Amino acid sequence: MNRIPRRKAVELCVHLCSTSALCAAISGCHESSYFVRTYPAPDAIGVQKSELFKHHEHRISTYYVLIKDKRLRNPICLFIRANGGYSAVEAVCTHKSCRLMPHSQGLSCPCHGSEFDIEGTVLVEPASKPLRRFAVKEDGEFLYVLL
């Protein structure tokens, strides 16, 4: 019978526990983060409205989708309000450039605790500058985030 040295067994146990905790954390974040398919346009990023509503059939509150485009270094968080309005902000903290975690009321910085509303306004420091905002235009079946 092969025996594992005690030190190796403890290391393996710690690794398995931390891996399962990390997977749980990632899957918890993933449930609410949706990257949508985009259509590049000159000076804009197009998103089909049907793609937005695919993830949220019941529009009872503000929700969001994430947009990536090779022209930008960071993702854009597009908020869709229950009343039909839109706002788009860069999903990176203005304090130390950490990637932000969106939620229905805004964005949170996991690095130092800054909070931003859906318009990119700082609610909780240490960040002192608002997020970069993007204008959003509506055209038939598409929304365009203007770059």
Side-chain angles (χ1 to χ4, degrees), residues 2-47:
N2 293 336
R3 297 185 76 181
I4 299 174
R6 180 183 171 139
R7 180 177 177 92
K8 191 73 172 167
V10 170
E11 287 174 356
L12 181 61
C13 183
V14 167
H15 176 71
L16 290 174
C17 291
S18 63
T19 301
S20 62
L22 178 62
C23 290
I26 289 172
S27 66
C29 294
H30 177 69
E31 289 175 6
S32 59
S33 298
Y34 302 105
F35 281 94
V36 293
R37 183 178 189 170
T38 59
Y39 301 86
D43 301 321
I45 303 167
V47 179

Side-chain angles (χ1 to χ4, degrees), residues 89 107 115-124 129-131 133:
V89 296
L107 300 106
E115 295 279 338
F116 302 86
D117 68 12
I118 64 172
E119 299 295 331
T121 304
V122 177
L123 300 175
V124 177
K129 296 179 185 173
L131 299 177
R133 293 185 62 185

